[in-house]
Amino acid sequence: MGSITIKDIAKALNISISTVSRALRDSYDINAQTKQMVVEYAEKMNYRPNPIALSLKENKSRSLGVIVPEIANTFFSQAINGIEEVAYERGYHVVIFQSHESQEREISNIQHLFARKVDGLLISLSGSNKDISHLDEYRKNNFPIVYFDRVPETPDAHKVVVDNFEGAFKATEYLIQKGKKDIALIISPPTLSITQERTAGYKSALEKYNIPVREELIRHCSFQKDEAEQAIKALLEEQEPDAFFMGSDRLALNCYEAFKKWSNRRDIPLVGFTNLGIAHLLEPHLNTIVQPALDIGRKSAEILLDVIENKRRGKGFEKVTLGTELNFRS
Amino acid sequence: MGSITIKDIAKALNISISTVSRALRDSYDINAQTKQMVVEYAEKMNYRPNPIALSLKENKSRSLGVIVPEIANTFFSQAINGIEEVAYERGYHVVIFQSHESQEREISNIQHLFARKVDGLLISLSGSNKDISHLDEYRKNNFPIVYFDRVPETPDAHKVVVDNFEGAFKATEYLIQKGKKDIALIISPPTLSITQERTAGYKSALEKYNIPVREELIRHCSFQKDEAEQAIKALLEEQEPDAFFMGSDRLALNCYEAFKKWSNRRDIPLVGFTNLGIAHLLEPHLNTIVQPALDIGRKSAEILLDVIENKRRGKGFEKVTLGTELNFRS
DNA sequence: TTGTATGCGTTATCAG
DNA sequence: CTGATAACGCATACAA
């Protein structure tokens, strides 16, 4: 286990450290025999270059930082799966942090990550973010960052998102086509990009079918359970909605639970933006708009690594929009 | 962003690098004034020691490796939460890998982790493991390892588990007290520690109530969906069980789904060993035995860090057993 | 083609 | 009390 170094190899083979380094690096100017000897010996001794020494030398770590609000959330854990897949394939490893929806922790995570010299950052913004000024310093210095799912407004950023507008539009349209008119929307804090886009999709569908938008049917909730419950309860008591659209992943479950607690109406259809795998097992049924989390992760990592490795010189900022998958009961 | 180094400070203050280092380290023999000057300047310039340089010097990385079968699993993501909490508190960061239930990937992860010079390893073994011979090398060298949830048999290891026997016993007893006698058990591969303990708990409960164990009611399944489905279907058709005990986390959901598909009997109670947060929302109801995942993670990390930091000299190997929480509908 | 020297950021040892 | 120097593992410019 006592890891072997190029120094050990050099000593054993009676050659200089640099020769060993060159042989292993396949550098120019190296005698074929010497090279073979070194490579074979290294193989035999199971030599592995010390990544820490490399990092120190090259001032990079071959690691990517990932910040998500919460790991224990199907969408994010699936996205992380995609990120890891691509990262490991390309020789990077992944350091995961959770912001727990707190901007403060997000900032602290970012500092940690930079102290650790990650080569790039993948981030889905916390729900309590006012802005991304805490990233300004890095953005100005062209530090590689890719935002996914919850992205900032600025066009000067790489982003991977789903077509939130379309997903919300389709969901609302589905409910309208079921004859519903008073469709409640429970949605994430207005600061988030997803909130705005999904709300717009919802309103646009209503407009298409000439249904007036009732602002009192729209409620913003952060991700605490009781908030969702309050919203649902108030809506049920005050507005008598004939359908519910839960516009955000974790919110969807909290809302579903609250609905089940406060209403036994089975004629009120429920639609949620969620990657929860078990929605189809629920009674009453929860129709879902599912995000291609794995692909989001993959694509984000690909862009980030391309940026890091300078494989997209001059290409400018990219925004990738993926489609959503609709699971509606016919 | 261009991180400032101890060298920059020395130059700016016209003193030597070593003096700066000492001032910052609060080492012995240092003039109070000099120290103050350095500390203030470092503060002002937002100096952060380069962890990579430290790692190289000290030959450790202040990072912990974590290997779990799957992140996108409530139990494991909760456990990781606990691990991270303790790790960050004590100044370590966490590198997470997934074995995807493959021993091959587990081995590759371990190699990766060691190349990265993690200071210790937290691992929950993959379901396809034959043994832990791939860890022998590290175990022999006293490399700090803590196993959690899915642990090896050897007593020469730190382990954090739940009382699987008791949990399974209680679950079975609950079903017996509901008047059930032909209780089917669907359980993980026999190689896993959890499998053996839970099966023993199940059998012990039957014995206590003088119900003969019918081996044909016990089915082992790995974690693929169709396997669970086959098992449930076969049991329903061939054995007519009057209750189901699903003895493993991911299995539970697959089995539940299969049961719902192949049977509409609502008089057959279901109990599952699972941390799935939404069990109470399901119809038919899924009674659960919940593992204190967060605490398992916390405790594992604590032990590991104590081992790493030599805070438990001479204490020998520790096995911590935590209780399960029962969510049975009365 | 190979070896020597240097530096990445830090701490520790040894002189002064 | 402070400074110079070596060392951690590696890659590389320069010298031979």
Side-chain angles (χ1 to χ4, degrees), chain B residues 101 127-128 150 185-192 194-195 218-235 246-252 254-255 258:
Chain B
E101 303 289 5
S128 61
R150 303 183 184 177
L185 171 66
I186 301 104
I187 186 84
S188 37
T191 40
L192 291 174
I194 54 173
T195 304
I218 302 177
R219 302 287 161 111
H220 293 279
C221 277
S222 69
F223 302 97
Q224 277 120 45
K225 215 168 182 173
D226 54 335
E227 248 185 272
E229 182 164 349
Q230 289 310 314
I232 293 287
K233 194 166 172 239
L235 280 166
M246 284 95 76
S248 160
D249 199 326
R250 245 163 328 142
L251 220 46
N254 291 340
C255 290

mmCIF file of all heavy atoms in Angstrom, chain B residues 101 127-128 150 185-192 194-195 218-235 246-252 254-255 258:
data_model
loop_
_atom_site.group_PDB
_atom_site.id
_atom_site.type_symbol
_atom_site.label_atom_id
_atom_site.label_comp_id
_atom_site.label_asym_id
_atom_site.label_seq_id
_atom_site.Cartn_x
_atom_site.Cartn_y
_atom_site.Cartn_z
ATOM 1 N N GLU B 101 -24.086 -1.446 -7.032
ATOM 2 C CA GLU B 101 -24.246 -2.862 -6.670
ATOM 3 C C GLU B 101 -23.280 -3.788 -7.405
ATOM 4 O O GLU B 101 -23.518 -4.989 -7.484
ATOM 5 C CB GLU B 101 -25.681 -3.351 -6.918
ATOM 6 C CG GLU B 101 -26.756 -2.582 -6.196
ATOM 7 C CD GLU B 101 -26.770 -2.831 -4.689
ATOM 8 O OE1 GLU B 101 -25.875 -3.533 -4.182
ATOM 9 O OE2 GLU B 101 -27.688 -2.324 -4.016
ATOM 10 N N GLY B 127 -24.213 -5.153 -3.302
ATOM 11 C CA GLY B 127 -25.012 -6.365 -3.133
ATOM 12 C C GLY B 127 -24.415 -7.586 -3.800
ATOM 13 O O GLY B 127 -24.768 -8.717 -3.475
ATOM 14 N N SER B 128 -23.491 -7.384 -4.722
ATOM 15 C CA SER B 128 -22.951 -8.539 -5.440
ATOM 16 C C SER B 128 -21.599 -8.973 -4.879
ATOM 17 O O SER B 128 -20.880 -9.728 -5.500
ATOM 18 C CB SER B 128 -22.814 -8.206 -6.928
ATOM 19 O OG SER B 128 -21.938 -7.130 -7.107
ATOM 20 N N ARG B 150 -24.353 -2.263 5.402
ATOM 21 C CA ARG B 150 -23.986 -3.553 4.830
ATOM 22 C C ARG B 150 -22.526 -3.802 5.164
ATOM 23 O O ARG B 150 -21.631 -3.244 4.532
ATOM 24 C CB ARG B 150 -24.172 -3.537 3.338
ATOM 25 C CG ARG B 150 -25.590 -3.189 2.922
ATOM 26 C CD ARG B 150 -25.602 -3.298 1.466
ATOM 27 N NE ARG B 150 -26.819 -2.935 0.821
ATOM 28 C CZ ARG B 150 -26.921 -2.948 -0.503
ATOM 29 N NH1 ARG B 150 -25.883 -3.304 -1.221
ATOM 30 N NH2 ARG B 150 -28.039 -2.616 -1.074
ATOM 31 N N LEU B 185 -41.436 -13.731 2.875
ATOM 32 C CA LEU B 185 -40.293 -12.842 3.099
ATOM 33 C C LEU B 185 -39.530 -12.688 1.791
ATOM 34 O O LEU B 185 -39.032 -13.659 1.231
ATOM 35 C CB LEU B 185 -39.364 -13.434 4.164
ATOM 36 C CG LEU B 185 -38.013 -12.719 4.351
ATOM 37 C CD1 LEU B 185 -38.195 -11.316 4.900
ATOM 38 C CD2 LEU B 185 -37.093 -13.537 5.267
ATOM 39 N N ILE B 186 -39.472 -11.440 1.302
ATOM 40 C CA ILE B 186 -38.634 -11.183 0.120
ATOM 41 C C ILE B 186 -37.443 -10.384 0.609
ATOM 42 O O ILE B 186 -37.599 -9.323 1.221
ATOM 43 C CB ILE B 186 -39.384 -10.428 -0.975
ATOM 44 C CG1 ILE B 186 -40.598 -11.234 -1.395
ATOM 45 C CG2 ILE B 186 -38.487 -10.218 -2.185
ATOM 46 C CD1 ILE B 186 -41.857 -10.678 -0.843
ATOM 47 N N ILE B 187 -36.280 -10.908 0.324
ATOM 48 C CA ILE B 187 -35.091 -10.377 0.978
ATOM 49 C C ILE B 187 -33.893 -10.321 0.028
ATOM 50 O O ILE B 187 -33.876 -11.010 -0.982
ATOM 51 C CB ILE B 187 -34.796 -11.226 2.251
ATOM 52 C CG1 ILE B 187 -33.656 -10.677 3.091
ATOM 53 C CG2 ILE B 187 -34.509 -12.676 1.874
ATOM 54 C CD1 ILE B 187 -34.057 -9.608 4.046
ATOM 55 N N SER B 188 -32.940 -9.490 0.371
ATOM 56 C CA SER B 188 -31.753 -9.244 -0.454
ATOM 57 C C SER B 188 -30.876 -10.501 -0.596
ATOM 58 O O SER B 188 -31.119 -11.501 0.067
ATOM 59 C CB SER B 188 -30.966 -8.095 0.173
ATOM 60 O OG SER B 188 -31.020 -8.163 1.588
ATOM 61 N N PRO B 189 -29.850 -10.438 -1.432
ATOM 62 C CA PRO B 189 -28.980 -11.593 -1.659
ATOM 63 C C PRO B 189 -28.375 -12.113 -0.358
ATOM 64 O O PRO B 189 -28.048 -11.329 0.537
ATOM 65 C CB PRO B 189 -27.882 -11.034 -2.567
ATOM 66 C CG PRO B 189 -28.507 -9.895 -3.273
ATOM 67 C CD PRO B 189 -29.457 -9.299 -2.296
ATOM 68 N N PRO B 190 -28.243 -13.430 -0.269
ATOM 69 C CA PRO B 190 -27.812 -14.052 0.991
ATOM 70 C C PRO B 190 -26.409 -13.663 1.421
ATOM 71 O O PRO B 190 -26.047 -13.870 2.583
ATOM 72 C CB PRO B 190 -27.889 -15.553 0.694
ATOM 73 C CG PRO B 190 -28.062 -15.689 -0.770
ATOM 74 C CD PRO B 190 -28.561 -14.404 -1.311
ATOM 75 N N THR B 191 -25.632 -13.085 0.523
ATOM 76 C CA THR B 191 -24.269 -12.701 0.891
ATOM 77 C C THR B 191 -24.228 -11.527 1.866
ATOM 78 O O THR B 191 -23.273 -11.375 2.612
ATOM 79 C CB THR B 191 -23.476 -12.287 -0.369
ATOM 80 O OG1 THR B 191 -24.331 -11.525 -1.213
ATOM 81 C CG2 THR B 191 -22.972 -13.496 -1.115
ATOM 82 N N LEU B 192 -25.260 -10.711 1.843
ATOM 83 C CA LEU B 192 -25.213 -9.501 2.668
ATOM 84 C C LEU B 192 -25.531 -9.779 4.132
ATOM 85 O O LEU B 192 -26.386 -10.600 4.454
ATOM 86 C CB LEU B 192 -26.196 -8.464 2.129
ATOM 87 C CG LEU B 192 -25.841 -7.845 0.768
ATOM 88 C CD1 LEU B 192 -26.966 -6.960 0.276
ATOM 89 C CD2 LEU B 192 -24.552 -7.041 0.890
ATOM 90 N N ILE B 194 -27.084 -7.888 6.189
ATOM 91 C CA ILE B 194 -28.450 -7.527 6.535
ATOM 92 C C ILE B 194 -29.415 -8.663 6.217
ATOM 93 O O ILE B 194 -30.382 -8.898 6.937
ATOM 94 C CB ILE B 194 -28.904 -6.257 5.790
ATOM 95 C CG1 ILE B 194 -28.730 -6.384 4.281
ATOM 96 C CG2 ILE B 194 -28.169 -5.042 6.297
ATOM 97 C CD1 ILE B 194 -29.315 -5.214 3.494
ATOM 98 N N THR B 195 -29.119 -9.389 5.160
ATOM 99 C CA THR B 195 -29.989 -10.490 4.754
ATOM 100 C C THR B 195 -30.076 -11.540 5.853
ATOM 101 O O THR B 195 -31.168 -11.973 6.254
ATOM 102 C CB THR B 195 -29.445 -11.157 3.478
ATOM 103 O OG1 THR B 195 -29.300 -10.157 2.472
ATOM 104 C CG2 THR B 195 -30.379 -12.252 3.000
ATOM 105 N N ILE B 218 -39.771 -17.912 1.490
ATOM 106 C CA ILE B 218 -38.635 -16.976 1.537
ATOM 107 C C ILE B 218 -37.982 -16.880 0.160
ATOM 108 O O ILE B 218 -37.603 -17.886 -0.416
ATOM 109 C CB ILE B 218 -37.591 -17.446 2.569
ATOM 110 C CG1 ILE B 218 -38.237 -17.574 3.941
ATOM 111 C CG2 ILE B 218 -36.414 -16.466 2.610
ATOM 112 C CD1 ILE B 218 -37.315 -18.105 5.023
ATOM 113 N N ARG B 219 -37.892 -15.678 -0.353
ATOM 114 C CA ARG B 219 -37.278 -15.497 -1.675
ATOM 115 C C ARG B 219 -36.176 -14.453 -1.616
ATOM 116 O O ARG B 219 -36.383 -13.378 -1.057
ATOM 117 C CB ARG B 219 -38.331 -15.021 -2.693
ATOM 118 C CG ARG B 219 -39.510 -15.944 -2.840
ATOM 119 C CD ARG B 219 -39.130 -17.220 -3.593
ATOM 120 N NE ARG B 219 -40.104 -18.257 -3.332
ATOM 121 C CZ ARG B 219 -40.966 -18.727 -4.260
ATOM 122 N NH1 ARG B 219 -40.952 -18.226 -5.474
ATOM 123 N NH2 ARG B 219 -41.811 -19.697 -3.947
ATOM 124 N N HIS B 220 -35.053 -14.791 -2.218
ATOM 125 C CA HIS B 220 -33.967 -13.811 -2.326
ATOM 126 C C HIS B 220 -34.044 -13.092 -3.666
ATOM 127 O O HIS B 220 -34.264 -13.712 -4.692
ATOM 128 C CB HIS B 220 -32.609 -14.507 -2.202
ATOM 129 C CG HIS B 220 -32.376 -15.068 -0.839
ATOM 130 N ND1 HIS B 220 -31.948 -14.293 0.202
ATOM 131 C CD2 HIS B 220 -32.532 -16.319 -0.346
ATOM 132 C CE1 HIS B 220 -31.833 -15.051 1.287
ATOM 133 N NE2 HIS B 220 -32.193 -16.281 0.986
ATOM 134 N N CYS B 221 -33.836 -11.811 -3.617
ATOM 135 C CA CYS B 221 -33.885 -11.013 -4.843
ATOM 136 C C CYS B 221 -32.726 -10.033 -4.846
ATOM 137 O O CYS B 221 -32.408 -9.449 -3.824
ATOM 138 C CB CYS B 221 -35.150 -10.160 -4.880
ATOM 139 S SG CYS B 221 -36.599 -11.003 -5.461
ATOM 140 N N SER B 222 -32.148 -9.817 -6.012
ATOM 141 C CA SER B 222 -31.235 -8.693 -6.109
ATOM 142 C C SER B 222 -32.086 -7.469 -6.426
ATOM 143 O O SER B 222 -33.299 -7.503 -6.291
ATOM 144 C CB SER B 222 -30.166 -8.940 -7.163
ATOM 145 O OG SER B 222 -30.749 -8.921 -8.428
ATOM 146 N N PHE B 223 -31.464 -6.402 -6.883
ATOM 147 C CA PHE B 223 -32.210 -5.153 -6.867
ATOM 148 C C PHE B 223 -32.843 -4.766 -8.204
ATOM 149 O O PHE B 223 -33.190 -3.624 -8.419
ATOM 150 C CB PHE B 223 -31.305 -4.047 -6.328
ATOM 151 C CG PHE B 223 -30.794 -4.380 -4.957
ATOM 152 C CD1 PHE B 223 -29.552 -4.951 -4.773
ATOM 153 C CD2 PHE B 223 -31.602 -4.171 -3.848
ATOM 154 C CE1 PHE B 223 -29.108 -5.291 -3.505
ATOM 155 C CE2 PHE B 223 -31.163 -4.496 -2.576
ATOM 156 C CZ PHE B 223 -29.913 -5.065 -2.403
ATOM 157 N N GLN B 224 -32.949 -5.746 -9.088
ATOM 158 C CA GLN B 224 -33.648 -5.422 -10.330
ATOM 159 C C GLN B 224 -35.146 -5.612 -10.187
ATOM 160 O O GLN B 224 -35.621 -6.513 -9.520
ATOM 161 C CB GLN B 224 -33.134 -6.298 -11.483
ATOM 162 C CG GLN B 224 -31.881 -5.756 -12.108
ATOM 163 C CD GLN B 224 -30.763 -6.752 -11.991
ATOM 164 O OE1 GLN B 224 -30.968 -7.928 -12.246
ATOM 165 N NE2 GLN B 224 -29.598 -6.300 -11.573
ATOM 166 N N LYS B 225 -35.820 -4.741 -10.874
ATOM 167 C CA LYS B 225 -37.266 -4.672 -10.738
ATOM 168 C C LYS B 225 -37.949 -5.988 -11.109
ATOM 169 O O LYS B 225 -38.829 -6.470 -10.409
ATOM 170 C CB LYS B 225 -37.784 -3.564 -11.645
ATOM 171 C CG LYS B 225 -38.958 -2.822 -11.066
ATOM 172 C CD LYS B 225 -39.222 -1.571 -11.872
ATOM 173 C CE LYS B 225 -40.370 -0.776 -11.267
ATOM 174 N NZ LYS B 225 -40.505 0.521 -11.945
ATOM 175 N N ASP B 226 -37.519 -6.557 -12.223
ATOM 176 C CA ASP B 226 -38.234 -7.743 -12.709
ATOM 177 C C ASP B 226 -38.046 -8.926 -11.774
ATOM 178 O O ASP B 226 -38.923 -9.777 -11.652
ATOM 179 C CB ASP B 226 -37.788 -8.089 -14.131
ATOM 180 C CG ASP B 226 -36.285 -8.245 -14.219
ATOM 181 O OD1 ASP B 226 -35.602 -7.645 -13.361
ATOM 182 O OD2 ASP B 226 -35.804 -8.949 -15.109
ATOM 183 N N GLU B 227 -36.912 -8.955 -11.110
ATOM 184 C CA GLU B 227 -36.679 -10.056 -10.175
ATOM 185 C C GLU B 227 -37.693 -10.001 -9.035
ATOM 186 O O GLU B 227 -38.295 -11.013 -8.658
ATOM 187 C CB GLU B 227 -35.267 -9.971 -9.606
ATOM 188 C CG GLU B 227 -34.370 -11.079 -10.062
ATOM 189 C CD GLU B 227 -33.032 -11.008 -9.371
ATOM 190 O OE1 GLU B 227 -32.144 -10.316 -9.891
ATOM 191 O OE2 GLU B 227 -32.878 -11.623 -8.303
ATOM 192 N N ALA B 228 -37.877 -8.817 -8.513
ATOM 193 C CA ALA B 228 -38.855 -8.650 -7.447
ATOM 194 C C ALA B 228 -40.242 -9.029 -7.957
ATOM 195 O O ALA B 228 -41.007 -9.706 -7.272
ATOM 196 C CB ALA B 228 -38.845 -7.203 -6.953
ATOM 197 N N GLU B 229 -40.511 -8.608 -9.160
ATOM 198 C CA GLU B 229 -41.838 -8.890 -9.704
ATOM 199 C C GLU B 229 -42.063 -10.388 -9.859
ATOM 200 O O GLU B 229 -43.126 -10.913 -9.499
ATOM 201 C CB GLU B 229 -41.998 -8.193 -11.054
ATOM 202 C CG GLU B 229 -43.367 -8.424 -11.630
ATOM 203 C CD GLU B 229 -43.701 -7.456 -12.756
ATOM 204 O OE1 GLU B 229 -42.952 -6.483 -12.943
ATOM 205 O OE2 GLU B 229 -44.714 -7.684 -13.423
ATOM 206 N N GLN B 230 -41.054 -11.085 -10.382
ATOM 207 C CA GLN B 230 -41.174 -12.535 -10.523
ATOM 208 C C GLN B 230 -41.431 -13.191 -9.172
ATOM 209 O O GLN B 230 -42.280 -14.071 -9.046
ATOM 210 C CB GLN B 230 -39.881 -13.115 -11.121
ATOM 211 C CG GLN B 230 -39.670 -12.768 -12.587
ATOM 212 C CD GLN B 230 -40.907 -13.066 -13.425
ATOM 213 O OE1 GLN B 230 -41.504 -14.126 -13.289
ATOM 214 N NE2 GLN B 230 -41.312 -12.114 -14.254
ATOM 215 N N ALA B 231 -40.691 -12.749 -8.200
ATOM 216 C CA ALA B 231 -40.808 -13.351 -6.871
ATOM 217 C C ALA B 231 -42.216 -13.165 -6.314
ATOM 218 O O ALA B 231 -42.846 -14.115 -5.822
ATOM 219 C CB ALA B 231 -39.783 -12.730 -5.929
ATOM 220 N N ILE B 232 -42.719 -11.959 -6.404
ATOM 221 C CA ILE B 232 -44.055 -11.679 -5.881
ATOM 222 C C ILE B 232 -45.109 -12.495 -6.622
ATOM 223 O O ILE B 232 -45.981 -13.122 -6.018
ATOM 224 C CB ILE B 232 -44.371 -10.169 -6.046
ATOM 225 C CG1 ILE B 232 -43.475 -9.336 -5.143
ATOM 226 C CG2 ILE B 232 -45.837 -9.899 -5.766
ATOM 227 C CD1 ILE B 232 -43.819 -9.400 -3.682
ATOM 228 N N LYS B 233 -44.975 -12.502 -7.916
ATOM 229 C CA LYS B 233 -45.962 -13.205 -8.739
ATOM 230 C C LYS B 233 -45.972 -14.692 -8.393
ATOM 231 O O LYS B 233 -47.025 -15.302 -8.166
ATOM 232 C CB LYS B 233 -45.602 -13.007 -10.212
ATOM 233 C CG LYS B 233 -46.701 -13.391 -11.159
ATOM 234 C CD LYS B 233 -46.448 -12.868 -12.563
ATOM 235 C CE LYS B 233 -47.478 -13.434 -13.527
ATOM 236 N NZ LYS B 233 -46.852 -14.189 -14.625
ATOM 237 N N ALA B 234 -44.788 -15.259 -8.339
ATOM 238 C CA ALA B 234 -44.684 -16.679 -8.028
ATOM 239 C C ALA B 234 -45.261 -16.977 -6.649
ATOM 240 O O ALA B 234 -46.012 -17.938 -6.458
ATOM 241 C CB ALA B 234 -43.225 -17.109 -8.103
ATOM 242 N N LEU B 235 -44.930 -16.154 -5.699
ATOM 243 C CA LEU B 235 -45.441 -16.365 -4.343
ATOM 244 C C LEU B 235 -46.966 -16.324 -4.330
ATOM 245 O O LEU B 235 -47.626 -17.171 -3.726
ATOM 246 C CB LEU B 235 -44.876 -15.299 -3.398
ATOM 247 C CG LEU B 235 -43.450 -15.543 -2.900
ATOM 248 C CD1 LEU B 235 -42.869 -14.283 -2.272
ATOM 249 C CD2 LEU B 235 -43.437 -16.693 -1.879
ATOM 250 N N MET B 246 -41.207 -7.286 3.189
ATOM 251 C CA MET B 246 -40.169 -6.965 2.217
ATOM 252 C C MET B 246 -38.944 -6.469 2.978
ATOM 253 O O MET B 246 -38.938 -5.368 3.527
ATOM 254 C CB MET B 246 -40.660 -5.890 1.258
ATOM 255 C CG MET B 246 -41.632 -6.421 0.219
ATOM 256 S SD MET B 246 -43.370 -6.208 0.667
ATOM 257 C CE MET B 246 -43.603 -4.485 0.361
ATOM 258 N N GLY B 247 -37.906 -7.284 2.932
ATOM 259 C CA GLY B 247 -36.839 -7.094 3.905
ATOM 260 C C GLY B 247 -35.704 -6.182 3.511
ATOM 261 O O GLY B 247 -34.693 -6.137 4.199
ATOM 262 N N SER B 248 -35.840 -5.416 2.448
ATOM 263 C CA SER B 248 -34.712 -4.572 2.060
ATOM 264 C C SER B 248 -35.216 -3.318 1.356
ATOM 265 O O SER B 248 -36.237 -3.323 0.694
ATOM 266 C CB SER B 248 -33.789 -5.366 1.156
ATOM 267 O OG SER B 248 -32.973 -4.508 0.413
ATOM 268 N N ASP B 249 -34.452 -2.282 1.495
ATOM 269 C CA ASP B 249 -34.935 -0.950 1.126
ATOM 270 C C ASP B 249 -35.461 -0.850 -0.289
ATOM 271 O O ASP B 249 -36.646 -0.658 -0.524
ATOM 272 C CB ASP B 249 -33.827 0.078 1.376
ATOM 273 C CG ASP B 249 -34.380 1.491 1.465
ATOM 274 O OD1 ASP B 249 -35.351 1.782 0.765
ATOM 275 O OD2 ASP B 249 -33.854 2.298 2.245
ATOM 276 N N ARG B 250 -34.579 -0.993 -1.269
ATOM 277 C CA ARG B 250 -35.074 -0.788 -2.628
ATOM 278 C C ARG B 250 -36.008 -1.887 -3.068
ATOM 279 O O ARG B 250 -36.943 -1.680 -3.811
ATOM 280 C CB ARG B 250 -33.931 -0.643 -3.609
ATOM 281 C CG ARG B 250 -33.942 0.762 -4.207
ATOM 282 C CD ARG B 250 -32.656 1.055 -4.835
ATOM 283 N NE ARG B 250 -31.616 0.364 -4.108
ATOM 284 C CZ ARG B 250 -30.578 -0.189 -4.687
ATOM 285 N NH1 ARG B 250 -30.468 -0.142 -5.983
ATOM 286 N NH2 ARG B 250 -29.665 -0.771 -3.965
ATOM 287 N N LEU B 251 -35.731 -3.056 -2.563
ATOM 288 C CA LEU B 251 -36.594 -4.190 -2.821
ATOM 289 C C LEU B 251 -38.034 -3.869 -2.446
ATOM 290 O O LEU B 251 -38.982 -4.233 -3.151
ATOM 291 C CB LEU B 251 -36.105 -5.343 -1.940
ATOM 292 C CG LEU B 251 -36.104 -6.723 -2.541
ATOM 293 C CD1 LEU B 251 -35.503 -6.669 -3.930
ATOM 294 C CD2 LEU B 251 -35.286 -7.658 -1.666
ATOM 295 N N ALA B 252 -38.194 -3.207 -1.337
ATOM 296 C CA ALA B 252 -39.533 -2.963 -0.808
ATOM 297 C C ALA B 252 -40.413 -2.272 -1.831
ATOM 298 O O ALA B 252 -41.565 -2.653 -2.057
ATOM 299 C CB ALA B 252 -39.447 -2.127 0.472
ATOM 300 N N ASN B 254 -39.987 -2.064 -5.162
ATOM 301 C CA ASN B 254 -40.221 -2.939 -6.312
ATOM 302 C C ASN B 254 -41.294 -3.978 -5.987
ATOM 303 O O ASN B 254 -42.177 -4.255 -6.794
ATOM 304 C CB ASN B 254 -38.930 -3.654 -6.717
ATOM 305 C CG ASN B 254 -37.910 -2.694 -7.297
ATOM 306 O OD1 ASN B 254 -38.265 -1.592 -7.731
ATOM 307 N ND2 ASN B 254 -36.649 -3.086 -7.289
ATOM 308 N N CYS B 255 -41.196 -4.550 -4.816
ATOM 309 C CA CYS B 255 -42.157 -5.570 -4.411
ATOM 310 C C CYS B 255 -43.544 -4.968 -4.255
ATOM 311 O O CYS B 255 -44.547 -5.545 -4.666
ATOM 312 C CB CYS B 255 -41.738 -6.211 -3.091
ATOM 313 S SG CYS B 255 -40.287 -7.248 -3.244
ATOM 314 N N ALA B 258 -45.040 -4.518 -7.560
ATOM 315 C CA ALA B 258 -45.436 -5.791 -8.153
ATOM 316 C C ALA B 258 -46.700 -6.323 -7.487
ATOM 317 O O ALA B 258 -47.612 -6.826 -8.146
ATOM 318 C CB ALA B 258 -44.296 -6.800 -8.007
#
